[in-house]
Amino acid sequence: MDTVRNNNNKKVEISFPVSGMSCASCVRRVEQAIMKTPGVESAAVNLATESATVVYDCSLSGSDEIKKSIEDAGYEVILPSQVQDDLKADEKDIIDPVMQVSSRKKGEIAELSAKFRLALAASIVIFIVGMPEFFPFVKSIGFGVRHYILMFLTAWVMFGAGWRFFRGAWVAAAHGTSDMNTLVSVGTFSAFIYSAFATIFPHLVHSGNGEPHVYYDTASMIITLILLGRMLEAKAKGQTSEAIVKLLEIQAKKAVVIRNGVESEIPAEDVIPGDFVVVKPGGKIPADGTVTEGFSAVDESMLTGEPVPADKTTGDKVTGGTVNTTGSFVFRAEKTGKDTALAKIVEIVEQAQMHKPPVQRIADTIASWFVPVVISIAVLTFTVWFIWGPKPSLTIALMNFISVLIIACPCALGLATPTAIMAGTGRGAGRGILIRSGEALEKAGKINIVVFDKTGTLTEGKPAVEEFLNFSRTFGDKDIISLAASVENKSEHPLGEAIVRFAARGENITGVGDLLPVDGFLAYPGRGVKGECAGKTVLAGKLAFMQESGVDFTPFFEKIQPYEDKGSTIVYFSVDGEPSAAAIISDSIKSTAGEAVSRLKKLGLQTAILTGDSRKAAAHVASTLGIDTVIAEVLPHEKSLEIEKLQKQGKVVAMAGDGVNDAPALAVADIGIAMGSGSDIAIETADITIVGNDPAKAAEAVNLSRQTVKVIYQNFFWAFIYNIIGIPIAAGVLYPIWGIFLQPVFASLAMAFSSVSVVTNSLRLRKM
């Protein structure tokens, strides 16, 4: 991941790959090295992505100093070219960092696979040559020759195929530290050195029949099995970042633009804001913009998780990376490159996967002392068995020493949290749920109340005529609707627009083009409008406006009252002073709002509605959806105060809103959930952004958070259970009871399975 971002004039956040890390101890060492660099404020290193994110003051330090600190600690760094000029870092262009990581990971998997196959072939030969009792044809070779053959083959396996472990151990030792490589290297090297000594000086080390015991098969099989574990681990880790790779792969490669009246095909990255882009059936949309011509249905499932294509016509927004399904259309490009919704999504998910959740502190704390403690236990084990163990005491002591070192490798500990975070945030991104950080992902699982804004969150946010009541004794339904819509068409008020839309649909009138001309139009702000239409004086507005104008709607209150009781907005109409009609206008509830509340309640959460609308309107929505608490008639700046009141009651609060008027409340809430469209997914105050405005995704986000934290703790269990059970067994505690020792080869199998089981467990999140 190569990204650079300016936080202000001097603060720079940079993310870059770090190679050479193998376990939780490596992560801690790299972070400590970075934090020692002057000007560095924070550093987060991720073992799963093999990368680091650093925030630093570029007036005190630079990227070169950070790179040197990491390299001095024994690791390799690849810094993005943009960092060469830190002060211009805000000029960053969108690149394919995850694709680079994916490519590098594929190369690593190929290398590990090749080395494993060669090591396995050599280990099979070593096993055959070292077991003459099972392979009679080997007995004809003297043990001296056999042992030299085994020594050279094992040396190749260890220092050829397994050189990465010894190099890592040497680097760690040179810096006065230890890690997973130290345990593997010390264990296998001990077996090899003892065996080599027995090979060269057989008369000094021998058993009763004159042939000394050698443990070349142990050393070679340990290296081979650990290579197998690392290969499987690398493959599994690659799958955890699959969601981002897929997002990057959906970007359009080509675009057809109209410039100077001529259509031409250009690379998608060359599209600029203002271009008119032609999208044909089956084509990918190369940028964000607005449809100017044509009609089609667009598959947005890769961004929103919704399988049903969305209809698009003139004036509708389209998002880069989505797929046109049927008709052709032209749209005006508005956001390209790093400004597109897709680029923002990738950036948010990358940030979430880089930053650590608080639960990671458990692993960090343990990693700081784990390897030294294990080495101490191994040395103690060797000492006890060598001094007090049965014959051959040196052999038993050495094997137990090696088993303790191998089974205790802390690879799984370093992978427990980051792989779960990557899988969880990746799953969320595929479902249109963008989680900004690991901390937000963890905290979302602790909330106990979700507070919803009403307009635009639980409702469509677009007023619509629910019912049109005709009271006129002179005009039929079609005529009175035509008069009402003709006058309202002169108004720019949202309620007037709703009435015009109502008139233009179905059989009310033929269309907006058939509206009647209006003379003498007057608007009375906050009250109503007046105009002369078809020789008639038409008034439209509030009841108070009608009363001021001498129009009496009292006879019709019985019909209107039920709508007022549920909070609908009423627009009254009179023609030549006669009470003629009433338009019942409401903001319809989203089809998924009921599902959202139901799912939250199944998760054991309380729900509330927080709105500036009337109490009647809020209460109607709440009762329809089954929401527990209603907080209504609240001004935008007062919403944050209401959230604080809930927090003072001991509640952990999530606020779901549209991210504009609700921004203060989103910021104050423990978790801010912004309902985002394709154009506003990067709402800075939100911890979680829902792409597509589906409130049901809020419940899905909470559930995903809970499942991810659950998997993290399960991973900790798998990371520790092998050590808690395995280290005592490897140390020989079962021998006095049942005469059982844990052979080093089985210890290496258990260690490899520990890492693979952790990553595999994390991958389950992709199916939740």
Side-chain angles (χ1 to χ4, degrees), residues 474-527:
T474 306
F475 300 99
D477 291 347
K478 193 169 184 179
D479 292 332
I480 194 64
I481 290 173
S482 179
L483 287 169
S486 297
V487 173
E488 289 288 11
N489 191 44
K490 292 291 185 178
S491 169
E492 296 180 354
H493 195 281
L495 297 180
E497 293 175 356
I499 292 166
V500 173
R501 287 195 302 271
F502 171 76
R505 74 172 188 248
E507 297 180 357
N508 296 328
I509 60 175
T510 306
V512 176
D514 293 330
L515 292 176
L516 303 170
V518 176
D519 298 319
F521 178 81
L522 293 173
Y524 301 85
R527 296 158 64 201

Short mmCIF file of all heavy atoms in Angstrom, two decimals, residues 474-527:
data_model
loop_
_atom_site.label_atom_id
_atom_site.label_comp_id
_atom_site.label_asym_id
_atom_site.label_seq_id
_atom_site.Cartn_x
_atom_site.Cartn_y
_atom_site.Cartn_z
N THR A 474 -67.71 22.22 -8.35
CA THR A 474 -67.68 22.74 -9.72
C THR A 474 -66.74 21.94 -10.62
O THR A 474 -67.05 21.69 -11.79
CB THR A 474 -67.24 24.22 -9.72
OG1 THR A 474 -68.08 24.95 -8.84
CG2 THR A 474 -67.29 24.80 -11.12
N PHE A 475 -65.58 21.53 -10.07
CA PHE A 475 -64.54 20.91 -10.89
C PHE A 475 -64.39 19.42 -10.56
O PHE A 475 -64.48 19.00 -9.39
CB PHE A 475 -63.20 21.61 -10.67
CG PHE A 475 -63.21 23.07 -11.02
CD1 PHE A 475 -63.35 24.04 -10.03
CD2 PHE A 475 -63.10 23.48 -12.34
CE1 PHE A 475 -63.37 25.38 -10.35
CE2 PHE A 475 -63.13 24.82 -12.67
CZ PHE A 475 -63.27 25.79 -11.68
N GLY A 476 -64.16 18.66 -11.62
CA GLY A 476 -63.85 17.25 -11.43
C GLY A 476 -62.41 17.08 -10.96
O GLY A 476 -61.62 18.04 -10.92
N ASP A 477 -62.04 15.86 -10.63
CA ASP A 477 -60.70 15.59 -10.10
C ASP A 477 -59.59 16.07 -11.04
O ASP A 477 -58.65 16.74 -10.63
CB ASP A 477 -60.52 14.09 -9.84
CG ASP A 477 -61.38 13.61 -8.68
OD1 ASP A 477 -61.90 14.46 -7.94
OD2 ASP A 477 -61.50 12.38 -8.52
N LYS A 478 -59.73 15.74 -12.32
CA LYS A 478 -58.68 16.08 -13.27
C LYS A 478 -58.53 17.58 -13.42
O LYS A 478 -57.42 18.11 -13.49
CB LYS A 478 -58.98 15.42 -14.61
CG LYS A 478 -57.82 15.43 -15.58
CD LYS A 478 -58.11 14.53 -16.78
CE LYS A 478 -56.93 14.46 -17.71
NZ LYS A 478 -57.18 13.58 -18.87
N ASP A 479 -59.64 18.28 -13.43
CA ASP A 479 -59.60 19.74 -13.62
C ASP A 479 -58.99 20.44 -12.40
O ASP A 479 -58.18 21.36 -12.54
CB ASP A 479 -61.01 20.27 -13.88
CG ASP A 479 -61.56 19.81 -15.22
OD1 ASP A 479 -60.74 19.57 -16.13
OD2 ASP A 479 -62.78 19.68 -15.34
N ILE A 480 -59.39 20.02 -11.20
CA ILE A 480 -58.88 20.69 -10.01
C ILE A 480 -57.40 20.40 -9.82
O ILE A 480 -56.63 21.27 -9.40
CB ILE A 480 -59.70 20.29 -8.75
CG1 ILE A 480 -59.38 21.26 -7.60
CG2 ILE A 480 -59.41 18.86 -8.33
CD1 ILE A 480 -59.79 22.68 -7.85
N ILE A 481 -56.97 19.19 -10.17
CA ILE A 481 -55.54 18.86 -10.09
C ILE A 481 -54.75 19.71 -11.09
O ILE A 481 -53.66 20.21 -10.79
CB ILE A 481 -55.31 17.35 -10.36
CG1 ILE A 481 -55.86 16.53 -9.19
CG2 ILE A 481 -53.83 17.05 -10.56
CD1 ILE A 481 -55.84 15.03 -9.42
N SER A 482 -55.33 19.90 -12.28
CA SER A 482 -54.67 20.71 -13.30
C SER A 482 -54.51 22.15 -12.83
O SER A 482 -53.45 22.76 -12.99
CB SER A 482 -55.47 20.66 -14.61
OG SER A 482 -54.86 21.47 -15.59
N LEU A 483 -55.55 22.72 -12.25
CA LEU A 483 -55.47 24.10 -11.73
C LEU A 483 -54.44 24.21 -10.61
O LEU A 483 -53.63 25.14 -10.58
CB LEU A 483 -56.85 24.54 -11.22
CG LEU A 483 -57.92 24.84 -12.28
CD1 LEU A 483 -59.28 25.01 -11.63
CD2 LEU A 483 -57.55 26.09 -13.08
N ALA A 484 -54.48 23.25 -9.66
CA ALA A 484 -53.56 23.28 -8.53
C ALA A 484 -52.11 23.17 -8.99
O ALA A 484 -51.23 23.93 -8.56
CB ALA A 484 -53.90 22.14 -7.56
N ALA A 485 -51.85 22.21 -9.90
CA ALA A 485 -50.48 21.99 -10.37
C ALA A 485 -49.98 23.17 -11.20
O ALA A 485 -48.80 23.52 -11.15
CB ALA A 485 -50.40 20.70 -11.17
N SER A 486 -50.87 23.79 -11.97
CA SER A 486 -50.46 24.93 -12.80
C SER A 486 -49.97 26.08 -11.95
O SER A 486 -48.95 26.72 -12.26
CB SER A 486 -51.64 25.37 -13.68
OG SER A 486 -52.04 24.35 -14.57
N VAL A 487 -50.66 26.38 -10.85
CA VAL A 487 -50.23 27.46 -9.96
C VAL A 487 -48.95 27.07 -9.22
O VAL A 487 -48.00 27.86 -9.12
CB VAL A 487 -51.35 27.82 -8.96
CG1 VAL A 487 -50.85 28.82 -7.93
CG2 VAL A 487 -52.55 28.39 -9.70
N GLU A 488 -48.90 25.82 -8.71
CA GLU A 488 -47.72 25.39 -7.95
C GLU A 488 -46.48 25.28 -8.84
O GLU A 488 -45.36 25.36 -8.35
CB GLU A 488 -47.99 24.03 -7.29
CG GLU A 488 -48.98 24.08 -6.13
CD GLU A 488 -48.39 24.73 -4.89
OE1 GLU A 488 -47.30 25.33 -4.96
OE2 GLU A 488 -49.05 24.67 -3.83
N ASN A 489 -46.68 25.13 -10.13
CA ASN A 489 -45.54 25.02 -11.04
C ASN A 489 -44.73 26.31 -11.07
O ASN A 489 -43.56 26.31 -11.44
CB ASN A 489 -46.03 24.67 -12.46
CG ASN A 489 -44.90 24.28 -13.37
OD1 ASN A 489 -44.01 23.52 -12.98
ND2 ASN A 489 -44.91 24.80 -14.59
N LYS A 490 -45.37 27.42 -10.71
CA LYS A 490 -44.66 28.70 -10.65
C LYS A 490 -43.84 28.83 -9.37
O LYS A 490 -43.00 29.71 -9.24
CB LYS A 490 -45.67 29.86 -10.71
CG LYS A 490 -46.40 29.98 -12.05
CD LYS A 490 -45.45 30.45 -13.13
CE LYS A 490 -46.18 30.71 -14.44
NZ LYS A 490 -45.27 31.21 -15.50
N SER A 491 -44.12 27.96 -8.40
CA SER A 491 -43.42 28.01 -7.12
C SER A 491 -42.19 27.12 -7.16
O SER A 491 -42.16 26.11 -7.86
CB SER A 491 -44.36 27.56 -5.99
OG SER A 491 -43.64 27.36 -4.80
N GLU A 492 -41.17 27.46 -6.39
CA GLU A 492 -39.98 26.63 -6.29
C GLU A 492 -39.94 25.84 -4.98
O GLU A 492 -38.95 25.22 -4.63
CB GLU A 492 -38.72 27.50 -6.39
CG GLU A 492 -38.58 28.19 -7.74
CD GLU A 492 -37.33 29.05 -7.81
OE1 GLU A 492 -36.65 29.18 -6.76
OE2 GLU A 492 -37.04 29.56 -8.90
N HIS A 493 -41.05 25.89 -4.25
CA HIS A 493 -41.11 25.20 -2.96
C HIS A 493 -41.17 23.68 -3.18
O HIS A 493 -41.83 23.20 -4.10
CB HIS A 493 -42.36 25.67 -2.19
CG HIS A 493 -42.32 25.31 -0.74
ND1 HIS A 493 -42.62 24.05 -0.28
CD2 HIS A 493 -42.01 26.05 0.36
CE1 HIS A 493 -42.51 24.02 1.03
NE2 HIS A 493 -42.14 25.23 1.45
N PRO A 494 -40.48 22.88 -2.34
CA PRO A 494 -40.51 21.41 -2.49
C PRO A 494 -41.92 20.83 -2.46
O PRO A 494 -42.19 19.85 -3.17
CB PRO A 494 -39.70 20.93 -1.29
CG PRO A 494 -38.78 22.07 -0.96
CD PRO A 494 -39.56 23.31 -1.27
N LEU A 495 -42.82 21.43 -1.67
CA LEU A 495 -44.19 20.91 -1.63
C LEU A 495 -44.90 21.17 -2.96
O LEU A 495 -45.67 20.33 -3.44
CB LEU A 495 -44.97 21.55 -0.48
CG LEU A 495 -44.44 21.26 0.94
CD1 LEU A 495 -45.31 21.94 1.98
CD2 LEU A 495 -44.39 19.76 1.19
N GLY A 496 -44.62 22.33 -3.56
CA GLY A 496 -45.19 22.64 -4.87
C GLY A 496 -44.68 21.68 -5.92
O GLY A 496 -45.43 21.21 -6.79
N GLU A 497 -43.39 21.36 -5.84
CA GLU A 497 -42.81 20.41 -6.80
C GLU A 497 -43.44 19.03 -6.64
O GLU A 497 -43.65 18.32 -7.63
CB GLU A 497 -41.30 20.33 -6.57
CG GLU A 497 -40.56 21.62 -6.93
CD GLU A 497 -39.08 21.56 -6.58
OE1 GLU A 497 -38.67 20.53 -5.99
OE2 GLU A 497 -38.35 22.52 -6.88
N ALA A 498 -43.74 18.64 -5.40
CA ALA A 498 -44.38 17.35 -5.17
C ALA A 498 -45.75 17.31 -5.83
O ALA A 498 -46.16 16.28 -6.40
CB ALA A 498 -44.50 17.09 -3.66
N ILE A 499 -46.48 18.40 -5.76
CA ILE A 499 -47.82 18.46 -6.37
C ILE A 499 -47.72 18.39 -7.89
O ILE A 499 -48.51 17.72 -8.56
CB ILE A 499 -48.55 19.74 -5.91
CG1 ILE A 499 -48.87 19.62 -4.41
CG2 ILE A 499 -49.83 19.96 -6.71
CD1 ILE A 499 -49.29 20.92 -3.76
N VAL A 500 -46.73 19.06 -8.47
CA VAL A 500 -46.53 19.02 -9.92
C VAL A 500 -46.18 17.60 -10.36
O VAL A 500 -46.68 17.10 -11.37
CB VAL A 500 -45.44 20.03 -10.35
CG1 VAL A 500 -45.11 19.85 -11.83
CG2 VAL A 500 -45.88 21.45 -10.06
N ARG A 501 -45.29 16.93 -9.59
CA ARG A 501 -44.93 15.55 -9.92
C ARG A 501 -46.16 14.64 -9.86
O ARG A 501 -46.35 13.77 -10.72
CB ARG A 501 -43.86 15.02 -8.96
CG ARG A 501 -42.47 15.60 -9.18
CD ARG A 501 -41.41 14.77 -8.45
NE ARG A 501 -41.67 14.69 -7.01
CZ ARG A 501 -41.21 15.56 -6.12
NH1 ARG A 501 -40.48 16.59 -6.53
NH2 ARG A 501 -41.48 15.42 -4.84
N PHE A 502 -46.99 14.87 -8.87
CA PHE A 502 -48.22 14.06 -8.73
C PHE A 502 -49.13 14.28 -9.93
O PHE A 502 -49.69 13.32 -10.49
CB PHE A 502 -48.94 14.45 -7.44
CG PHE A 502 -50.30 13.85 -7.30
CD1 PHE A 502 -50.46 12.52 -6.96
CD2 PHE A 502 -51.44 14.63 -7.52
CE1 PHE A 502 -51.74 11.97 -6.83
CE2 PHE A 502 -52.71 14.08 -7.40
CZ PHE A 502 -52.85 12.75 -7.05
N ALA A 503 -49.26 15.51 -10.36
CA ALA A 503 -50.14 15.82 -11.48
C ALA A 503 -49.64 15.22 -12.78
O ALA A 503 -50.43 14.87 -13.67
CB ALA A 503 -50.28 17.34 -11.63
N ALA A 504 -48.32 15.08 -12.89
CA ALA A 504 -47.73 14.63 -14.15
C ALA A 504 -47.70 13.12 -14.29
O ALA A 504 -47.32 12.61 -15.34
CB ALA A 504 -46.31 15.18 -14.28
N ARG A 505 -48.10 12.40 -13.24
CA ARG A 505 -48.02 10.95 -13.34
C ARG A 505 -49.41 10.34 -13.53
O ARG A 505 -50.44 10.95 -13.25
CB ARG A 505 -47.35 10.37 -12.10
CG ARG A 505 -48.21 10.37 -10.84
CD ARG A 505 -47.51 9.59 -9.72
NE ARG A 505 -48.39 9.41 -8.57
CZ ARG A 505 -48.22 9.97 -7.41
NH1 ARG A 505 -47.19 10.79 -7.23
NH2 ARG A 505 -49.05 9.74 -6.41
N GLY A 506 -49.42 9.14 -14.00
CA GLY A 506 -50.66 8.41 -14.18
C GLY A 506 -51.63 9.11 -15.12
O GLY A 506 -51.24 9.62 -16.17
N GLU A 507 -52.89 9.14 -14.76
CA GLU A 507 -53.93 9.71 -15.61
C GLU A 507 -54.42 11.05 -15.08
O GLU A 507 -55.49 11.54 -15.47
CB GLU A 507 -55.10 8.74 -15.72
CG GLU A 507 -54.73 7.41 -16.37
CD GLU A 507 -55.91 6.46 -16.46
OE1 GLU A 507 -56.99 6.83 -15.96
OE2 GLU A 507 -55.75 5.38 -17.04
N ASN A 508 -53.67 11.65 -14.16
CA ASN A 508 -54.11 12.93 -13.61
C ASN A 508 -54.21 13.99 -14.71
O ASN A 508 -55.23 14.61 -14.92
CB ASN A 508 -53.16 13.38 -12.50
CG ASN A 508 -53.18 12.40 -11.33
OD1 ASN A 508 -54.21 11.80 -11.05
ND2 ASN A 508 -52.06 12.25 -10.67
N ILE A 509 -53.09 14.21 -15.40
CA ILE A 509 -53.07 15.04 -16.61
C ILE A 509 -52.07 14.39 -17.54
O ILE A 509 -51.33 13.49 -17.16
CB ILE A 509 -52.67 16.51 -16.32
CG1 ILE A 509 -51.27 16.57 -15.69
CG2 ILE A 509 -53.68 17.19 -15.43
CD1 ILE A 509 -50.78 17.99 -15.49
N THR A 510 -52.01 14.83 -18.77
CA THR A 510 -51.13 14.18 -19.74
C THR A 510 -49.67 14.35 -19.37
O THR A 510 -48.86 13.45 -19.52
CB THR A 510 -51.37 14.74 -21.16
OG1 THR A 510 -52.76 14.62 -21.45
CG2 THR A 510 -50.54 13.98 -22.17
N GLY A 511 -49.29 15.52 -18.86
CA GLY A 511 -47.90 15.78 -18.52
C GLY A 511 -47.72 17.22 -18.11
O GLY A 511 -48.65 18.03 -18.21
N VAL A 512 -46.50 17.56 -17.65
CA VAL A 512 -46.23 18.93 -17.21
C VAL A 512 -46.43 19.91 -18.36
O VAL A 512 -46.83 21.06 -18.17
CB VAL A 512 -44.79 19.03 -16.64
CG1 VAL A 512 -44.46 20.46 -16.28
CG2 VAL A 512 -44.65 18.13 -15.43
N GLY A 513 -46.20 19.44 -19.56
CA GLY A 513 -46.37 20.32 -20.72
C GLY A 513 -47.80 20.76 -20.94
O GLY A 513 -48.06 21.73 -21.67
N ASP A 514 -48.77 20.07 -20.33
CA ASP A 514 -50.18 20.42 -20.49
C ASP A 514 -50.69 21.35 -19.39
O ASP A 514 -51.89 21.63 -19.32
CB ASP A 514 -51.03 19.14 -20.47
CG ASP A 514 -50.76 18.27 -21.69
OD1 ASP A 514 -50.42 18.85 -22.74
OD2 ASP A 514 -50.85 17.05 -21.58
N LEU A 515 -49.79 21.81 -18.51
CA LEU A 515 -50.23 22.73 -17.46
C LEU A 515 -50.70 24.05 -18.07
O LEU A 515 -50.21 24.48 -19.12
CB LEU A 515 -49.08 22.98 -16.48
CG LEU A 515 -48.66 21.76 -15.62
CD1 LEU A 515 -47.45 22.11 -14.78
CD2 LEU A 515 -49.81 21.29 -14.74
N LEU A 516 -51.63 24.68 -17.39
CA LEU A 516 -52.25 25.91 -17.90
C LEU A 516 -51.36 27.12 -17.60
O LEU A 516 -50.64 27.14 -16.59
CB LEU A 516 -53.62 26.10 -17.26
CG LEU A 516 -54.62 24.94 -17.47
CD1 LEU A 516 -55.85 25.15 -16.59
CD2 LEU A 516 -55.01 24.84 -18.93
N PRO A 517 -51.43 28.16 -18.43
CA PRO A 517 -50.67 29.39 -18.15
C PRO A 517 -51.23 30.10 -16.93
O PRO A 517 -52.43 30.04 -16.64
CB PRO A 517 -50.84 30.22 -19.42
CG PRO A 517 -52.09 29.69 -20.05
CD PRO A 517 -52.16 28.24 -19.71
N VAL A 518 -50.36 30.76 -16.20
CA VAL A 518 -50.74 31.45 -14.97
C VAL A 518 -50.33 32.90 -15.05
O VAL A 518 -49.19 33.22 -15.43
CB VAL A 518 -50.09 30.77 -13.74
CG1 VAL A 518 -50.41 31.54 -12.46
CG2 VAL A 518 -50.55 29.32 -13.63
N ASP A 519 -51.23 33.80 -14.71
CA ASP A 519 -50.94 35.23 -14.70
C ASP A 519 -50.98 35.75 -13.26
O ASP A 519 -51.66 35.17 -12.40
CB ASP A 519 -51.95 36.01 -15.55
CG ASP A 519 -51.91 35.60 -17.02
OD1 ASP A 519 -50.79 35.40 -17.52
OD2 ASP A 519 -52.99 35.46 -17.64
N GLY A 520 -50.30 36.85 -13.04
CA GLY A 520 -50.36 37.53 -11.75
C GLY A 520 -49.92 36.66 -10.59
O GLY A 520 -50.52 36.74 -9.50
N PHE A 521 -48.93 35.85 -10.80
CA PHE A 521 -48.49 34.93 -9.73
C PHE A 521 -47.84 35.71 -8.59
O PHE A 521 -47.01 36.58 -8.80
CB PHE A 521 -47.48 33.92 -10.29
CG PHE A 521 -46.95 32.97 -9.25
CD1 PHE A 521 -47.70 31.86 -8.87
CD2 PHE A 521 -45.73 33.20 -8.64
CE1 PHE A 521 -47.22 30.99 -7.89
CE2 PHE A 521 -45.25 32.34 -7.67
CZ PHE A 521 -45.99 31.23 -7.30
N LEU A 522 -48.23 35.35 -7.36
CA LEU A 522 -47.66 35.96 -6.16
C LEU A 522 -47.33 34.87 -5.15
O LEU A 522 -48.11 33.92 -4.95
CB LEU A 522 -48.66 36.94 -5.52
CG LEU A 522 -48.99 38.21 -6.31
CD1 LEU A 522 -50.13 38.97 -5.61
CD2 LEU A 522 -47.75 39.10 -6.43
N ALA A 523 -46.18 34.99 -4.54
CA ALA A 523 -45.78 34.05 -3.49
C ALA A 523 -45.77 34.76 -2.16
O ALA A 523 -45.28 35.89 -2.04
CB ALA A 523 -44.39 33.49 -3.81
N TYR A 524 -46.32 34.10 -1.15
CA TYR A 524 -46.34 34.63 0.20
C TYR A 524 -45.48 33.68 1.06
O TYR A 524 -45.97 32.63 1.51
CB TYR A 524 -47.77 34.69 0.74
CG TYR A 524 -48.69 35.55 -0.10
CD1 TYR A 524 -49.33 35.03 -1.23
CD2 TYR A 524 -48.90 36.89 0.22
CE1 TYR A 524 -50.16 35.82 -2.01
CE2 TYR A 524 -49.74 37.69 -0.56
CZ TYR A 524 -50.36 37.15 -1.67
OH TYR A 524 -51.19 37.94 -2.46
N PRO A 525 -44.19 34.01 1.24
CA PRO A 525 -43.25 33.10 1.90
C PRO A 525 -43.77 32.56 3.22
O PRO A 525 -44.26 33.29 4.08
CB PRO A 525 -42.01 33.98 2.11
CG PRO A 525 -42.10 35.01 1.02
CD PRO A 525 -43.56 35.29 0.87
N GLY A 526 -43.68 31.24 3.35
CA GLY A 526 -44.11 30.58 4.57
C GLY A 526 -45.60 30.43 4.70
O GLY A 526 -46.09 29.88 5.71
N ARG A 527 -46.38 30.89 3.71
CA ARG A 527 -47.85 30.86 3.83
C ARG A 527 -48.51 30.20 2.62
O ARG A 527 -49.31 29.28 2.77
CB ARG A 527 -48.38 32.27 4.02
CG ARG A 527 -47.92 32.92 5.32
CD ARG A 527 -47.99 34.44 5.24
NE ARG A 527 -49.37 34.89 5.09
CZ ARG A 527 -49.70 36.09 4.62
NH1 ARG A 527 -48.76 36.94 4.24
NH2 ARG A 527 -50.97 36.43 4.51
#
